[in-house]
Amino acid sequence: MTADEVAAGLPESLDEIAQDFAALSARDRLTLLLDFSDELPELPERYQGHAELLERVDECQSPLFLVVEVEGAHDALGSQQATVRLFFQAPPEAPTTRGFAGILHEGLDGLTVAEVLAVPDDAPYRFGLGEAVSPLRLRGMVAMLARIKRQVRIKSAA
Amino acid sequence: MAVASDDNISFKDYAHPERLVSTEWLARQLNDGVVGSSDLVVLESDEDVLLYETGHIPGAVKVDWHLDLNDPVKRDYVDGRRFAQILGERGIGRDTTVVIYGDKSNWWAAYALWVFTLFGHQDVRLLDGGRAKWVAQGREMTRDVPDRTIVEYPVVERNDAPIRAFRDDVLAHIGQPMVDVRSPGEYSGELLHMPDYPQEGAMRGGHIPGARSVPWARAAAEDGTFKSRVDLEAIYVDEQGLAPSDDVVAYCRIGERSSHTWFVLTHLLGFERVRNYDGSWTEWGNAVQVPIEVGAQ
């Protein structure tokens, strides 16, 4: 496998989700997206009521806040092998945005810094959601991914 | 056949009270089994494409402004053939009463209503207070999607001119009454640039010269219903100096928020000529050589 092919692939966890979506009709994809929205984990207590610790993703049509933690960035393993943790907050009135966050949470939470940074920027377009929710709306998910990778880069830097 | 208007006393002062129904009225129609008949179809139109799926008013059918009402290729609304298909699939005939409701104080519902008006659908109304009020009152919601019997809706070509303004119309309109319904930051031109981030937006910030800043939400009360006629007149007539006989153009970013203002001016205050410029700032702020004004009013 060449470096280019590696760079273009999705991590296994995200790829599984992409395959689940690909197997469905446009209408059923919405239902699956709703499942991801329903199952997005609550913000842990330490972040609740601390909006200042979260980053707002302005590109989403509805307010979404996220924060990244990098576990063990400075231990002997080296920051590239440190574990990425993702936390999101979006209101129930914004199920599409919550669904996007749910996909990224399930697909990226627990991966290493190197794996998250290698996720292609166009990953949000690989779930077949364009025809179900429109490509315009997917920009919110592209922005989420960009902000996640940016936070990972900053927080894993020595 | 059309359903009788809601004679709710709180609507009686509006210029066209028949354009609104209350949550109580809709609950009664539900009870009486009228919702979903060929007489009355209820549509939900939201910003969020998935909100309907999380739960909706029983019997309501979804219409999506982007996937159903916009042309999939060019920047325009669907044509008469596609519109007939969208409505027919939802069990709407040319004479059916359509009640639209949605999120965000009905702004997307007003947008859908405005598009229906381009096609001359006669009886289309808004649920005052929209989705939020229905939910706040603890009324029934369901995830069940109703099966609709397809009906024949005639192919009617859009008649844009009376209520839709295009860029050249707006250029020629400069100097006459114009309302910018975006937020103050968008109006002044401050809100545009965000370093490092992908941004759907415009090349330039500011507003169309001479446009007055009246953010759309000023017309909505806290519970998402429309303000009373007296309160609306205080804003648009007393404060902004608009008159019902004025030729008014309203715009925002893509024409959705300004549909809300279009509804207020046209149906609640009885203005005779209000056009929505749906190209709005995403066209104007990217167009070459059009004049732009910056700064607060």
Side-chain angles (χ1 to χ4, degrees):
Chain A
M1 204 181 265
T2 68
D4 276 353
E5 280 168 311
V6 174
L10 293 179
E12 199 181 326
S13 46
L14 211 51
D15 191 48
E16 273 175 26
I17 300 172
Q19 287 181 28
D20 288 345
F21 274 105
L24 299 171
S25 68
R27 192 181 174 143
D28 290 337
R29 282 174 202 168
L30 275 188
T31 311
L32 182 56
L33 188 62
L34 182 61
D35 290 343
F36 278 105
S37 169
D38 288 344
E39 288 158 17
L40 181 68
E42 285 274 319
L43 208 55
E45 217 165 278
R46 62 184 182 281
Y47 287 119
Q48 283 183 18
H50 290 285
E52 76 283 359
L53 299 175
L54 306 172
E55 180 177 3
R56 183 185 167 123
V57 181
D58 295 285
E59 294 86 346
C60 291
Q61 287 179 329
S62 311
L64 174 108
F65 296 85
L66 65 85
V67 63
V68 170
E69 289 180 3
V70 177
E71 288 175 356
H74 306 295
D75 65 19
L77 284 169
S79 65
Q80 290 299 300
Q81 295 309 310
T83 303
V84 173
R85 293 288 172 201
L86 300 175
F87 305 96
F88 297 92
Q89 185 181 43
E93 307 82 62
T96 301
T97 300
R98 286 179 60 89
F100 293 163
I103 291 173
L104 293 176
H105 184 269
E106 177 144 333
L108 302 181
D109 185 70
L111 297 190
T112 65
V113 166
E115 286 168 330
V116 172
L117 293 180
V119 173
D121 294 334
D122 69 349
Y125 294 102
R126 302 194 190 182
F127 299 96
L129 286 167
E131 55 185 303
V133 305
S134 91
L136 189 73
R137 288 165 166 142
L138 279 177
R139 290 183 192 181
M141 190 165 166
V142 172
M144 262 185 237
L145 178 62
R147 287 175 188 251
I148 288 168
K149 289 170 71 170
R150 184 174 152 276
Q151 281 201 27
V152 167
R153 254 190 299 273
I154 292 170
K155 291 176 178 175
S156 64
Chain B
M1 208 186 70
V3 177
S5 306
D6 182 359
D7 54 8
N8 193 306
I9 190 120
S10 60
F11 300 153
K12 71 172 178 29
D13 290 335
Y14 293 132
H16 301 289
E18 73 281 4
R19 292 294 179 172
L20 288 177
V21 303
S22 59
T23 50
E24 292 78 14
W25 181 90
L26 186 56
R28 261 200 319 276
Q29 306 299 326
L30 257 180
N31 243 339
D32 296 347
V34 185
V35 172
S37 71
S38 58
D39 293 335
L40 174 62
V41 172
V42 179
L43 291 180
E44 176 160 342
S45 170
D46 298 316
E47 176 175 270
D48 194 306
V49 72
L50 212 51
L51 196 52
Y52 171 89
E53 279 76 9
T54 68
H56 48 85
I57 297 176
V61 196
K62 168 179 170 179
V63 66
D64 184 72
W65 62 274
H66 198 283
L67 299 172
D68 296 324
L69 300 179
N70 281 1
D71 184 283
V73 180
K74 65 178 173 177
R75 186 167 173 194
D76 199 359
Y77 299 100
V78 291
D79 62 13
R81 222 164 50 88
R82 178 76 182 135
F83 187 73
Q85 186 190 352
I86 298 281
L87 269 66
E89 282 170 3
R90 286 159 179 74
I92 301 169
R94 191 68 171 163
D95 299 328
T96 304
T97 297
V98 176
V99 169
I100 312 181
Y101 74 97
D103 58 354
K104 314 248 164 183
S105 301
N106 268 338
W107 97 33
W108 301 94
Y111 187 54
L113 181 143
W114 178 76
V115 174
F116 275 49
T117 308
L118 292 173
F119 289 96
H121 191 91
Q122 277 300 320
D123 190 358
V124 53
R125 316 176 190 179
L126 290 184
L127 173 67
D128 197 27
R131 182 184 165 96
K133 186 169 184 193
W134 184 272
V135 171
Q137 290 175 327
R139 296 184 188 276
E140 189 185 352
M141 298 284 275
T142 180
R143 283 194 175 190
D144 292 341
V145 176
D147 278 326
R148 303 294 304 158
T149 308
I150 297 176
V151 305
E152 189 77 17
Y153 192 92
V155 174
V156 182
E157 286 316 318
R158 282 194 335 253
N159 181 16
D160 290 340
I163 61 166
R164 185 181 186 195
F166 294 95
R167 198 185 79 180
D168 289 347
D169 302 328
V170 177
L171 263 177
H173 193 80
I174 289 176
Q176 295 177 71
M178 196 148 16
V179 181
D180 183 320
V181 314
R182 298 172 301 158
S183 61
E186 290 171 280
Y187 176 86
S188 69
E190 284 159 44
L191 271 191
L192 183 66
H193 184 58
M194 276 218 307
D196 302 337
Y197 296 125
Q199 165 101 337
E200 166 213 3
M203 302 289 290
R204 292 289 186 267
H207 54 266
I208 301 174
R212 312 292 301 254
S213 171
V214 191
W216 72 277
R218 291 187 62 193
E222 248 173 45
D223 63 356
T225 59
F226 290 102
K227 285 183 180 166
S228 69
R229 181 157 188 174
V230 172
D231 290 346
L232 293 173
E233 281 174 344
I235 298 168
Y236 296 98
V237 179
D238 303 344
E239 178 192 303
Q240 297 297 330
L242 298 174
S245 56
D246 281 347
D247 182 354
V248 183
V249 167
Y251 72 91
C252 56
R253 191 180 58 90
I254 58 167
E256 60 345 334
R257 286 173 287 182
S258 44
S259 295
H260 189 274
T261 299
W262 172 86
F263 183 89
V264 168
L265 294 175
T266 302
H267 291 314
L268 304 186
L269 294 182
F271 280 50
E272 286 148 30
R273 181 157 173 81
V274 184
R275 283 174 295 166
N276 182 21
Y277 169 40
D278 59 279
S280 277
W281 201 256
T282 48
E283 178 177 52
W284 199 271
N286 287 311
V288 176
Q289 284 196 331
V290 297
I292 289 176
E293 223 169 56
V294 292
Q297 200 150 268

